[in-house]
Amino acid sequence: PKSMLLIDDGENNKLIITDSEKVVNVSTSEQFVAALANAKDGTIIKLAEGIYSPTANNQFVLRANNVMLVGSGIGKTVIDAQKFDCSGQAGFLVSGDNVVVCNLTVKTTSDNGNVSALKVTKVSPEAGFVEKFQLVQVAIEGSKGHGLNLHTVKNSLINEVDIVSFGKVGISLAEAVKVSICLLYTSDAA
């Protein structure tokens, strides 16, 4: 059976038709961890309004290909990596191809200057490039380290992204090939 998923971007709603069995509705951090771990080709993870935080010093990891992660709005759906503190890594790590992350906020409060809020990379360097990653209508917040770290990424799109208050690097591009960046905003926390 087919179902419709309406994404409210605040101005122009977007309609996606999908198989209903591939939509995973999430409203708790535990459900979010499970949805990321169990994501399969074509999964749409729909995050309700709320704050999603990992336990202890863990990170959120999405390894599956062809997944869409849809929040309920910037500032309404928050992936809070808290003080995740593994140097060179991120509170939220994406390593799958053709992943779309949209309509939410990702933030970190880590004191480590070498930690990112969101990092997109293959888990092992010999795995090649992450292909066709899209980050759309997202705010990335923190005070130290990197906001968005794109490492070994190819043919990707960053669109309508607000990088808020990063002390070291707002956006880092390393081995990033054919990455389109449109409407990237940087700001200081108000």
Side-chain angles (χ1 to χ4, degrees):
K2 297 284 184 185
S3 70
M4 295 183 288
L5 175 66
L6 182 65
I7 300 171
D8 181 6
D9 64 7
E11 295 177 22
N12 302 312
N13 293 323
K14 297 177 176 102
L15 187 63
I16 297 169
I17 310 247
T18 184
D19 294 327
S20 59
E21 64 269 6
K22 293 194 177 185
V23 176
V24 179
N25 291 301
V26 170
S27 60
T28 68
S29 296
E30 293 78 15
Q31 290 173 345
F32 183 40
V33 169
L36 292 173
N38 297 317
K40 305 280 187 260
D41 195 319
T43 298
I44 297 174
I45 301 170
K46 179 72 173 94
L47 294 169
E49 287 186 25
I51 297 173
Y52 299 86
S53 302
T55 57
N57 193 33
N58 293 318
Q59 67 184 153
F60 291 117
V61 179
L62 177 57
R63 289 186 171 93
N65 297 327
N66 305 310
V67 173
M68 179 177 269
L69 178 61
V70 182
S72 297
I74 292 174
K76 295 178 182 177
T77 300
V78 179
I79 298 172
D80 184 355
Q82 298 179 336
K83 291 188 175 284
F84 177 78
D85 197 23
C86 181
S87 188
Q89 287 302 315
F92 182 29
L93 176 68
V94 175
S95 66
D97 293 329
N98 199 28
V99 169
V100 177
V101 176
C102 63
N103 214 22
L104 52 81
T105 299
V106 179
K107 74 180 214 171
T108 180
T109 54
S110 178
D111 291 326
N112 186 328
N114 293 317
V115 171
S116 303
L118 172 60
K119 184 173 184 176
V120 182
T121 189
K122 288 292 184 183
V123 176
S124 61
E126 61 274 359
F129 287 84
V130 170
E131 296 263 1
K132 298 180 182 175
F133 173 75
Q134 294 182 55
L135 186 67
V136 180
Q137 295 174 343
V138 171
I140 301 177
E141 301 176 0
S143 60
K144 298 186 177 167
H146 300 81
L148 174 61
N149 186 347
L150 301 175
H151 188 261
T152 60
V153 176
K154 186 187 274 188
N155 300 319
S156 296
L157 172 67
I158 309 303
N159 189 23
E160 294 185 64
V161 173
D162 189 8
I163 307 287
V164 181
S165 292
F166 276 90
K168 187 172 182 181
V169 178
I171 182 170
S172 174
L173 302 169
E175 296 184 60
V177 179
K178 294 185 179 178
V179 175
S180 295
I181 300 175
C182 309
L183 301 175
L184 176 71
Y185 307 99
T186 57
S187 59
D188 214 1

